[in-house]
Amino acid sequence: MAFEGLTSRLQGVFSKLRGKGKVSEDDVNEAMREVRLALLEADVNFKVVKEFISKVKEKAVGKEVMDSFTPGMVIIDIVNKELTDLMGGSQAKLAKSNRPPTVVMMAGLQGAGKTTTSAKLAKLLLKGNHRPLLVAGDIYRPAAIKQLQVLGEQIKVPVFSLPEGNSPVEIARQALQHAKDNGNDYLLIDTAGRLHVDEELMEELRQIHEITQPDEVLLVVDAMTGQDAVNVAESFNQQLQLTGVVLTKLDGDTRGGAALSVKAVTGCPIKFAALGEKIDALEPFHPERMASRILGMGDMLSLIEKAQSNIDADKAKEMERKMRNAEFTFDDFLEQMDQVKKLGPIDQIMDMIPGMGKMKQMKDIKVDEKQMGRVEAIVHSMTKEEKQNPDMINHSRRKRIAAGSGTTLADVNRLIKQFDEMRRMMKQFSDMMGPKGKGSKLMKQMQGKAGKGMRFPFR
Ligand SMILES: Nc1nc2c(ncn2[C@@H]2O[C@H](COP(=O)(O)OP(=O)(O)OP(=O)(O)O)[C@@H](O)[C@H]2O)c(=O)[nH]1
Ligand SMILES: [Mg+2]
């Protein structure tokens, strides 16, 4: 998962601070030295790191921190805020022209994800009741047009293309007219990629730019390429005046360098993040949410948004009540799994829940869809009573369950142990987030944003 290394390093630094009742200047310096290393290791641009650290230090040695009863928490708050600022502060929205169509031009190196992202963006716009038109502007790679057409068909968005012999500039020109004639309010132009930034490509992009006067020039960069992505962004920006960046492949194990450096280096905000190959794996980029994800504090807001559009509210309410009262049974567990599956890949979900990402590493719990199938088989092999009273599942029952589900005794033991742990964590978590909890300022802010009652993810 993205940022794993960075997250665990930062959590290590902060857990040392958190325990302290008083923090000395030496403690702050030591912590900042470690944060600096963690960022460098995550492939963040060194100038960006330097500036970041000096900003955090300036605030962290201030009176407020030293006088606080929870200085560690205050420092985490400061880092969180600076990380957010580093990625642009607040969400940078997609442009909307008051003389439609809004023209969005995609640019980027080969394989960065331009074509896929064009289609994903069309899908997002469609959901927002827009009428996008996709434009097949890559005439060089065989099958590039076909690729876009297939994607367009899948999401029911029209794709504009011209027969062989027409230049990308001509295609763009006619597409713009077509959009005007047909009432398309967004024109999404897919362009060709090159292995490197070269003059010929830039010239073509400049011409398309000239003729369509885009409202957005989005550079699509592969987050997996770290610093390189930032260099690419810089040279594209010099030639094309980018208006935004789309970071793709954030579902991979990218270290974080691109996400954390690109805004600071180029001045271009990250507007979208792509987290998978599927057509709906594109999200508006929220700096503050990304910062808390990086700090391992989860991303409750995104999860809540996802949940709200996918999950049955009444069931979720009932589930929350059970969790709070520690009445959670294996039946509920199955039910919960069904609901969770609707949200998307399970390891992405885990990372959005505060503490879960860390737990995943610590306990070496492998969560994948296959494993979920096995877990389901085990639970289905339990009797009605066993599901309701997990505590009654003794050794001989476990053996029977293992045989019945085609798994091993070790599998069953592990699941029951995890289930107990999960129940305990839920309890802790709900106490922590509850009205009487003494959560950090940040937790309270999050709660405030999420609204009353949204204390557990699934509602
Ligand atoms: N895992 C993952 N794969 C992605 C993501 N975005 C794109 N891809 C994959 O990356 C590959 C390249 O994507 P394309 O959209 O064809 O890239 P492109 O920039 O149009 O490439 P060219 O047209 O050859 O320059 C495809 O296999 C995509 O499925 C993402 O966010 N996550
Ligand atoms: Mg392409």
Side-chain angles (χ1 to χ4, degrees):
M1 191 58 202
F3 312 130
E4 213 162 276
L6 179 59
T7 299
S8 66
R9 292 273 312 245
L10 291 177
Q11 284 189 326
V13 179
F14 295 139
S15 68
K16 270 191 244 164
L17 280 180
R18 212 180 335 236
K20 297 197 169 169
K22 273 260 171 273
V23 171
S24 69
E25 200 165 330
D26 280 349
D27 292 333
V28 173
N29 285 336
E30 168 67 13
M32 286 310 120
R33 207 177 55 82
E34 286 175 37
V35 170
R36 184 176 154 270
L37 282 175
L39 290 171
L40 288 173
E41 226 164 73
D43 204 21
V44 180
N45 176 289
F46 77 95
K47 278 190 212 150
V48 173
V49 174
K50 202 170 159 205
E51 200 165 316
F52 179 83
I53 295 293
S54 87
K55 273 190 194 156
V56 173
K57 251 188 190 166
E58 201 176 294
K59 294 186 180 157
V61 294
K63 199 166 167 343
E64 195 202 338
V65 176
M66 301 300 172
D67 288 352
S68 164
F69 290 115
T70 52
M73 287 299 196
V74 179
I75 294 179
I76 297 172
D77 255 355
I78 295 172
V79 171
N80 186 45
K81 165 123 200 341
E82 288 301 324
L83 275 180
T84 304
D85 278 357
L86 193 57
M87 290 183 286
S90 56
Q91 188 199 355
K93 293 201 172 126
L94 188 71
K96 184 169 183 248
S97 167
N98 40 24
R99 286 192 306 143
T102 303
V103 178
V104 181
M105 182 176 160
M106 298 288 176
L109 293 187
Q110 217 164 62
K114 293 176 296 301
T115 306
T116 323
T117 302
S118 305
K120 287 174 178 171
L121 187 53
K123 174 89 195 267
L124 268 189
L125 287 166
L126 213 55
K127 272 194 187 167
N129 291 323
H130 291 286
R131 298 192 58 211
L133 175 66
L134 285 161
V135 184
D138 176 3
I139 57 166
Y140 306 103
R141 191 164 60 81
I145 298 175
K146 187 78 198 156
Q147 183 193 0
L148 195 63
Q149 281 168 341
V150 168
L151 290 168
E153 239 161 68
Q154 203 182 320
I155 56 175
K156 303 200 165 49
V157 168
V159 175
F160 185 91
S161 64
L162 288 179
E164 230 183 294
N166 288 284
S167 71
V169 180
E170 182 57 20
I171 295 170
R173 194 184 66 78
Q174 291 196 31
L176 180 56
Q177 192 54 51
H178 185 93
K180 282 178 184 162
D181 295 343
N182 289 275
N184 296 108
D185 59 351
Y186 273 88
L187 189 69
L188 309 177
I189 310 176
D190 182 27
T191 63
R194 296 286 158 89
L195 272 177
H196 305 284
V197 179
D198 68 39
E199 190 39 44
E200 209 179 335
L201 170 68
M202 286 302 169
E203 184 50 36
E204 180 175 303
L205 294 176
R206 271 194 295 264
Q207 285 178 21
I208 296 175
H209 193 286
E210 170 103 19
I211 210 140
T212 58
Q213 297 289 313
D215 305 280
E216 285 277 7
V217 184
L218 293 181
L219 182 73
V220 180
V221 294
D222 181 342
M224 299 286 287
T225 60
Q227 287 279 316
D228 281 346
V230 179
N231 296 334
V232 167
E234 219 179 351
S235 47
F236 267 87
N237 194 35
Q238 280 159 8
Q239 317 241 9
L240 267 183
Q241 296 239 339
L242 304 173
T243 59
V245 171
V246 180
L247 274 185
T248 62
K249 310 189 193 180
L250 277 174
D251 50 317
D253 55 358
T254 161
R255 285 179 289 163
L260 287 169
S261 321
V262 81
K263 169 67 172 61
V265 174
T266 65
C268 288
I270 301 169
K271 294 205 168 170
F272 294 94
L275 290 121
E277 294 194 74
K278 290 208 186 113
I279 204 91
D280 50 7
L282 185 76
E283 297 173 0
F285 185 82
H286 296 276
E288 73 284 5
R289 299 184 191 182
M290 188 53 85
S292 45
R293 247 190 239 199
I294 288 175
L295 289 174
M297 299 188 297
D299 179 0
M300 296 295 285
L301 291 180
S302 294
L303 191 58
I304 287 163
E305 275 176 12
K306 253 180 194 276
Q308 275 170 343
S309 56
N310 287 294
I311 276 179
D312 184 322
D314 289 338
K315 276 190 192 162
K317 219 176 199 157
E318 174 61 11
M319 205 67 91
E320 184 193 311
R321 194 190 60 73
K322 285 184 170 173
M323 285 174 180
R324 287 184 155 283
N325 301 329
E327 286 169 18
F328 200 67
T329 68
F330 268 111
D331 277 326
D332 301 323
F333 183 71
L334 275 185
E335 172 100 43
Q336 187 89 331
M337 268 174 69
D338 274 346
Q339 301 257 346
V340 169
K341 271 194 259 176
K342 292 187 198 157
L343 295 181
I346 188 71
D347 60 332
Q348 285 185 17
I349 303 301
M350 293 275 285
D351 285 330
M352 292 190 201
I353 304 174
M356 282 286 202
K358 193 172 160 200
M359 175 166 138
K360 204 174 69 182
Q361 287 168 26
M362 245 163 42
K363 309 260 189 235
D364 199 25
I365 300 171
K366 272 207 91 56
V367 260
D368 57 39
E369 320 283 313
K370 212 165 81 201
Q371 165 120 0
M372 280 177 89
R374 203 155 45 224
V375 166
E376 272 171 337
I378 293 175
V379 179
H380 280 306
S381 295
M382 295 176 184
T383 66
K384 224 168 142 187
E385 291 75 40
E386 285 166 350
K387 281 187 232 166
Q388 293 294 326
N389 307 302
D391 294 334
M392 75 186 284
I393 311 177
N394 59 19
H395 185 73
S396 68
R397 285 174 188 267
R398 289 179 191 211
K399 275 199 340 217
R400 193 207 74 240
I401 292 168
S405 58
T407 59
T408 65
L409 182 60
D411 287 334
V412 176
N413 283 337
R414 195 177 316 124
L415 176 66
I416 293 177
K417 193 160 160 249
Q418 280 174 14
F419 180 80
D420 283 340
E421 255 164 36
M422 187 170 139
R423 274 209 294 193
R424 216 178 41 235
M425 266 195 43
M426 281 168 182
K427 186 80 182 42
Q428 273 176 6
F429 187 64
S430 85
D431 288 348
M432 184 169 75
M433 301 292 271
K436 281 184 242 123
K438 290 184 292 197
S440 70
K441 201 160 97 192
L442 203 110
M443 281 290 192
K444 284 190 189 126
Q445 272 170 9
M446 270 171 49
Q447 246 179 300
K449 272 188 213 158
K452 273 219 175 91
M454 284 181 174
R455 300 207 178 89
F456 204 79
F458 309 120
R459 57 174 297 170

